[in-house]
Amino acid sequence: MAKCVFEDRIGAYLKGELPPEEEARFEEHYFNCPACFRETAERSDLEEALRSAGEAAFRARPQVRLRPGWVYAAAAAVAAAAVILSLPSSPPKPSPFQFPADEIVRGPELAVVGPAGTLAAPPEGLEWRPVAGAAVYRLALTFEGEAIWTAETADQTIALPAEVRSRLVEGRTYVWRVRAYAAEGRRIGVSEPTAFRVGR
Amino acid sequence: MSPDDPGHDLDEAIAGFRTVVGYKVRRALGAWNPEWEDVTNEILAQAVAKVRSGEFRGESSIGTFIFTITRRRIADYIRDKSRVLRHAPEPPPSPGPEALADRQERARRLTAAVRKLKPKYRDILYLYHFQGLSREETARKLGLTPIQVSDRASYARKLLRRLLGPSFFPSGKAGGD
Ligand SMILES: [Zn+2]
């Protein structure tokens, strides 16, 4: 099929890079050129789907899958024990990233899969059960109430960047939590704080 | 009206513009604005009425004629809306539960497909289509020429099209979903 001279405008049009008159000229063109319209519409669909898939679509899945036996109840029990062990003796300093204990949760609880408990090596990633209606999940990994890493994804798993893994210190207890948000920004689920410790 | 009526062919031609008008309207009004369908119908009805009253005399193409009507109607809509909004601001429309479930399913399928691609195709999709960098910025980051960016992105999209099938791309199809 012969290439339309307008075809190389499609990318810039969808990114909103064309000046207004050129944008109108390109729109007038695709009202007259079915090939350019089809290509424009298809790329819009693709870019929209990529945005809702989020960063996670581009990361390889965590190489080491979390142990299949991790279920919510077990993980939560271990987590609860670990959280008590890790409570600092001095009152925690307030932090914008801290999770208030009395946080009101609307909708279903978010069940974590793992990691939780004592691990032989820094975890490859975090995993949880999907929540119906969730458009995005926000993660926070904390040490003594301070966030050391936050991220968001549309997926139910997220890889821990190598840089973050390398910062995890053996013997320390880290707590992570995930929250689910609907597309309009309303929070629809939050997990229990889930603790893990690397080594020893 | 009878099929012999000379207006009949033009009516059919105008109906064929529903997809492209709908696409432009959704782009202007917001993808989740439930009014897009009414606005699209009005534009098509206006086009038919103008053709019947002899306002379309073939000086421009029918595509340009409908594009002009579409542009004006969208401008009116936005003007009226901003007048209303000044008094009673409303949150932007958001997808309903079905649309959300559909979107999640699409995200899941797309993620699975992207993960099957070679890193060089994943990288170009990430920078050019996901992050929305310009062709030139993408070229700089990857050490390619802008032409190579276009070619590689085009090939990556072709691979995705093959993995996902035509049903994954509903916007360009006549008759909507
Ligand atoms: Zn064209």
Side-chain angles (χ1 to χ4, degrees):
Chain A
M1 198 171 65
K3 206 177 140 176
C4 176
V5 288
F6 272 88
E7 208 192 290
D8 60 3
R9 293 292 169 87
I10 297 174
Y13 172 71
L14 290 175
K15 291 176 210 296
E17 290 170 355
L18 296 180
E21 333 77 72
E22 266 189 67
E23 182 177 283
R25 207 173 317 139
F26 177 68
E27 288 177 334
E28 182 182 338
H29 173 72
Y30 74 58
F31 268 68
N32 288 287
C33 176
C36 280
F37 173 64
R38 208 176 311 116
E39 182 67 22
T40 303
E42 195 173 297
R43 282 200 219 177
S44 298
D45 287 338
L46 178 65
E47 290 187 353
E48 207 233 75
L50 281 173
R51 277 192 296 274
S52 55
E55 297 263 345
F58 298 95
R59 266 189 301 262
R61 283 190 94 78
Q63 301 267 296
V64 178
R65 284 290 292 176
L66 301 157
R67 269 198 270 159
W70 287 115
V71 288
Y72 173 54
V78 176
V83 168
I84 292 161
L85 288 175
S86 70
L87 279 179
S89 46
S90 54
K93 39 189 175 322
S95 147
F97 295 107
Q98 249 175 341
F99 309 121
D102 57 353
E103 200 168 46
I104 296 160
V105 182
R106 289 259 188 97
E109 272 295 298
L110 219 169
V112 302
V113 175
T118 302
L119 314 171
E124 297 279 350
L126 311 174
E127 189 171 358
W128 53 94
R129 295 273 156 80
V131 171
V136 65
Y137 297 94
R138 300 211 171 94
L139 284 300
L141 177 64
T142 64
F143 176 66
E144 295 188 338
E146 298 276 359
I148 57 169
W149 176 66
T150 58
E152 62 177 50
T153 176
D155 211 338
Q156 63 180 97
T157 173
I158 192 164
L160 220 51
E163 180 270 328
V164 175
R165 298 178 67 224
S166 71
R167 265 161 45 205
L168 301 179
V169 178
E170 223 180 63
R172 281 190 179 168
T173 298
Y174 297 90
V175 177
W176 66 279
R177 206 165 194 190
V178 54
R179 291 172 170 75
Y181 295 82
E184 79 276 23
R186 188 168 46 93
R187 195 180 68 220
I188 54 174
V190 56
S191 76
E192 291 284 336
T194 302
F196 64 82
R197 190 202 328 231
V198 181
R200 286 186 293 165
Chain B
M1 72 206 287
S2 86
D4 301 329
D5 187 323
H8 182 81
D9 284 349
L10 266 174
D11 283 4
E12 286 228 317
I14 290 168
F17 279 86
R18 174 172 292 278
T19 310
V20 64
V21 171
Y23 175 80
K24 170 62 190 148
V25 169
R26 275 201 308 271
R27 211 177 138 79
L29 268 55
W32 304 112
N33 190 328
E35 290 179 282
W36 77 267
E37 220 161 350
D38 288 345
V39 174
T40 301
N41 286 334
E42 273 177 47
I43 290 166
L44 296 171
Q46 252 189 60
V48 169
K50 279 175 191 278
V51 164
R52 293 215 178 137
S53 70
E55 266 187 71
F56 175 67
R57 285 183 294 270
E59 286 140 354
S60 67
S61 68
I62 184 78
T64 297
F65 175 72
I66 295 175
F67 171 65
T68 307
I69 298 174
T70 304
R71 256 189 116 180
R72 271 194 214 129
R73 182 64 191 93
I74 288 170
D76 287 350
Y77 177 91
I78 290 168
R79 202 193 43 235
D80 292 351
K81 210 61 181 174
S82 28
R83 202 177 292 148
V84 172
L85 287 187
R86 219 170 298 142
H87 301 292
E90 54 184 78
S94 57
E98 261 173 53
L100 261 180
D102 178 59
R103 193 158 75 161
Q104 271 185 318
E105 171 60 14
R106 287 169 58 78
R108 195 195 57 73
R109 282 175 61 197
L110 183 61
T111 299
V114 167
R115 282 175 178 163
K116 285 187 188 142
L117 301 180
K118 285 188 185 155
K120 67 172 182 178
Y121 297 122
R122 271 209 303 258
D123 289 349
I124 202 120
L125 287 170
Y126 180 73
L127 296 172
Y128 188 60
H129 287 304
F130 176 73
Q131 289 205 326
L133 298 188
S134 72
R135 202 164 71 128
E136 288 65 30
E137 285 171 305
T138 308
R140 262 198 302 282
K141 286 217 171 186
L142 294 175
L144 300 172
T145 65
I147 301 285
Q148 285 173 315
V149 168
S150 294
D151 290 348
R152 194 179 286 180
S154 157
Y155 193 71
R157 290 194 304 270
K158 194 169 145 188
L159 293 173
L160 282 181
R161 239 182 342 254
R162 205 177 290 159
L163 287 165
L164 294 162
S167 67
F168 196 82
F169 305 93
S171 293
K173 284 207 205 29
D177 26 35

